[in-house]
Amino acid sequence: VGSFCTSLWQCYFEYSTPKILVIRSFKVGTLNRFTQALVIAYIIGYVCVLKKGYQDTDTVLSSVTTKVKGIALTNTSDLGLRIWDVADYVIPPQEENSFFVLTNLIITLNQTQSRCPESNSTGFYCTSDRDCRVGLRDTRGNGVQTGKCVNYSADVKTCEVWAWCPLEMDAEPPVPPMLGDAENFTVLIKNSIRYPKFNFNKRNILPHVNTSYLEHCVFNRITDPDCPIFRLKDMVTEAEEDFQTMAVHGGVMGVQISWECNLDMPSSWCVPKYTFRRLDNKDPVNNVAPGYNFRFAKYYKNGDNQETRTLIKGFGIRFDVMVFGQAGKFNIVPTLVNIGAGLALLGLVSLIRLHWTYFYKAPF
Amino acid sequence: VGSFCTSLWQCYFEYSTPKILVIRSFKVGTLNRFTQALVIAYIIGYVCVLKKGYQDTDTVLSSVTTKVKGIALTNTSDLGLRIWDVADYVIPPQEENSFFVLTNLIITLNQTQSRCPESNSTGFYCTSDRDCRVGLRDTRGNGVQTGKCVNYSADVKTCEVWAWCPLEMDAEPPVPPMLGDAENFTVLIKNSIRYPKFNFNKRNILPHVNTSYLEHCVFNRITDPDCPIFRLKDMVTEAEEDFQTMAVHGGVMGVQISWECNLDMPSSWCVPKYTFRRLDNKDPVNNVAPGYNFRFAKYYKNGDNQETRTLIKGFGIRFDVMVFGQAGKFNIVPTLVNIGAGLALLGLVSLIRLHWTYFYKAPF
Amino acid sequence: VGSFCTSLWQCYFEYSTPKILVIRSFKVGTLNRFTQALVIAYIIGYVCVLKKGYQDTDTVLSSVTTKVKGIALTNTSDLGLRIWDVADYVIPPQEENSFFVLTNLIITLNQTQSRCPESNSTGFYCTSDRDCRVGLRDTRGNGVQTGKCVNYSADVKTCEVWAWCPLEMDAEPPVPPMLGDAENFTVLIKNSIRYPKFNFNKRNILPHVNTSYLEHCVFNRITDPDCPIFRLKDMVTEAEEDFQTMAVHGGVMGVQISWECNLDMPSSWCVPKYTFRRLDNKDPVNNVAPGYNFRFAKYYKNGDNQETRTLIKGFGIRFDVMVFGQAGKFNIVPTLVNIGAGLALLGLVSLIRLHWTYFYKAPF
């Protein structure tokens, strides 16, 4: 036992080192130093400067609220002169990270639950009641068939349906768009962000922005880059689209707010960067089902307590606000890990050289 | 100083290499080659083929719009024969990545702000006015108590409340669901994606899909895998649920669209993959508060300018569209990093062998 | 050729090992063992225990539904005594991961499309018709100018506009908030999660929670930590805000549900953790555009089929439910990778020592 203990003790202090040959060679020495320089350059240039390997990082936590302002005026035979304000054209009135602005519409007034001839575009033509099937509800149709064949117009007969009548006209949306005035609407986007790891909060209304400036400013990349109020047309133009064209069929716009922050620098350097792009694909060769529209209704009761509704097929632009960001701050742990990995790499260089030397001298 | 310079110069060209013993041994040589083969297999098989280590990757940016189509017919004593179309059953009319389809409902017509006896299910029974407290608003109750005790039915008295009266009947939702027809509704899901790093755009309406096909097609995993129009029942069935059962209490469905793309291949190989699953837990042993429902109201004014409303407790299925995806494309940087790491690993093999040899020959 | 084959065969069984010097030195031996101990401590302590390097991880997939309950009573000269229930104060009635509760409001009754003098706060004062421009629609204004100058009050004249008249009073929201009762509203948050990689499902209504408990319980960090029903005031208080103050101008609250699960442990240990924080920045020095409000309207038709609306500027609290989480479970692949990396590091130690020894003995 005593001998084993001595052995163990000796082993503890023992270490092995290879026998080293020190060789002076211009060729191999230069290669050696060059590889070392490469590794050091990689560590300093790529790991430290570009990737900021000495920093701990955190991703952004964000909250967005939006407020649209503006008035549009339409003049149609159906509605007469009509004003549209924010309560009329933003649907639904609030969403989490998104807002929708109505830009064009097909309106059908005074619909009631009743019977009317099916629209001719659905293809339910008939000559007698036998061509119509009671209770048929087809996805192409607008209601449930009553089994009767009735006059759609003077010379066309279609199956009668039980539906919200009169039916919506199956038409292309008006050009120019009815709420073309929407191009001058403005939206205030309030965005508060937080980097939880660093307990860092900021919002896109920067400290130097005061109430009087906010009341009249409009975002402009050159003159007003800090104003959080955006004109809808400007956003669409920055995405290289034409507002009036886009407004006809609607679409989806992305408002990207980027908060790339180096928190080793003064916190006032951490500012949002706005970019705008169209998100739905406007592919000219594959122009199936373009734009963005949906149907909604306003319900009324008339004098006889009967329910009537106004159906609106609304075309418009949905703005999705997307907040991205990563913040970095000096932290000892990633610094050590990266320095360690760098040293290891440096060590490996000589190991690889060793191999290389060996293979170089291998018997074939 | 001259001597130091010479020293430094010599040092620059100097390199050290361990003295190497070349040994021929069947056992250790085989082990050596086997380990090297293992590492090379790992690098080629796992890093290159499986993990595609030679590619740079990017995550998907997505925009989703949906459009539901279909007609349902209900026939109740309250409402009579009634047609439900998209403007009636999709609430709210538009959302960002989600849509809700009403499948069942409890309707309370002609509510007004007035006084009525509290519902008996809330437990506010009383025998005299002293049992009721003026102004009490309990979370179980439906209104603010007026302090009176009134007849709920011929033999039951409850506290009177100031509320929207008549109160909603506290009942289980009807079976079968009122809008059971919803199983045949279809939804067109338009999904545009973008991989910003590779400037790659695509949408789920593939180039070969034309308008006439889109007008009648319905998604089917075998016959129509490229049709972006889904029948609600098919989606629920694929998630191994029964539509009519789910429709009674409502629920949440996930529509997962996966865009895993290898952009080194032709872009036409990059196609969406659809999967469907139920997201809310339908746990049979823990069936507390099942399904998905919410209350909403339609407001009217009657002849005397008094506000009345129709309260609807709507049960239905919310479809959350979730878009996942990662694209990869050849890039020199990750290729070099991975080859480097592979070589390093190869180097380490001999290092570990060296250690192993040493420990093997250690004194114990 | 035969000679080359023999050569290759010999090479296959050949391996090289450096000549090793075994040195006994207290100083270097201790340093050696200390470094090895450090690396082993790092592998066991940091990689295995802290980072759980032997586990495969997955991020959470979540579905959230919410249901608010409660009654508020307001008494104003405009509306008289009025009850507000969930269908009145939750707008829109359903959202994906969010719900909004109205806490304060400025109401404008019986608006119609007509003409009225512009509000004095917009600054459109005039003395004669020449000061007003026909058709001017300014973002500050409430309508389209008709070109007339009319009496706003006895001594102030403003330009007339075509708008929804009467215009909304431009006033600060009432203090105390009209729906201050909202502090006692409760919300049931149902959250189902899934870790797809491990096929693990759970919901925040834990198995031991039964219906009778759910009917009366309210979340309390100490007494009822498993109850998924939250009182609004409690959530705001936990975020160190005052409900009545926040209710005046509105705001955005984050409800964070964290599901950090170690699936090597019994699944009953995997429970949600709730935290609450205010998301919109309530910065006292930079108090521009505080709170959260939006406008919405209810549309009516009066006896003459003319459209009227009630405009509501609603202030309130939006609760964003955010679900985070990562689950880990033992998996052989990351275990091997981490053990391998650990061994490699151990190997590097001796390599670095080797270098260090060499540099230590370098000629300068």
Side-chain angles (χ1 to χ4, degrees), chain C residues 191 195 256-261 271-275 322-326:
Chain C
N191 176 214
Y195 286 107
Q256 301 178 333
I257 308 182
S258 162
W259 288 90
E260 295 298 332
C261 293
V271 290
K273 209 173 137 282
Y274 304 98
T275 45
M322 295 178 281
V323 182
F324 302 94
Q326 203 171 44

Side-chain angles (χ1 to χ4, degrees), chain A residues 11-62:
Chain A
C11 172
Y12 180 81
F13 289 120
E14 208 173 77
Y15 76 103
S16 65
T17 190
K19 281 193 189 165
I20 298 282
L21 284 179
V22 173
I23 296 166
R24 274 196 190 85
S25 148
F26 180 80
K27 222 167 85 185
V28 181
T30 301
L31 186 75
N32 189 20
R33 295 301 167 201
F34 178 72
T35 323
Q36 283 174 351
L38 218 73
V39 167
I40 290 168
Y42 162 81
I43 293 167
I44 293 176
Y46 184 74
V47 177
C48 292
V49 177
L50 263 181
K51 289 274 163 180
K52 295 201 175 57
Y54 56 88
Q55 285 189 334
D56 196 11
T57 58
D58 195 9
T59 49
V60 77
L61 217 72
S62 150

Side-chain angles (χ1 to χ4, degrees), chain C residues 200-252:
Chain C
F200 179 85
N201 296 302
K202 194 148 188 183
R203 60 182 198 158
N204 69 336
I205 303 178
L206 300 177
H208 64 266
V209 170
N210 55 34
T211 317
S212 63
Y213 177 68
L214 266 192
E215 255 158 27
H216 69 266
C217 78
V218 171
F219 176 81
N220 180 300
R221 210 163 275 288
I222 293 135
T223 60
D224 296 80
D226 292 343
C227 178
I229 299 174
F230 304 87
R231 209 163 67 109
L232 301 196
K233 191 185 180 177
D234 294 346
M235 293 198 277
V236 174
T237 307
E238 281 228 8
E240 289 171 3
E241 298 283 335
D242 177 56
F243 189 91
Q244 294 296 329
T245 312
M246 189 170 177
V248 173
H249 284 97
V252 185

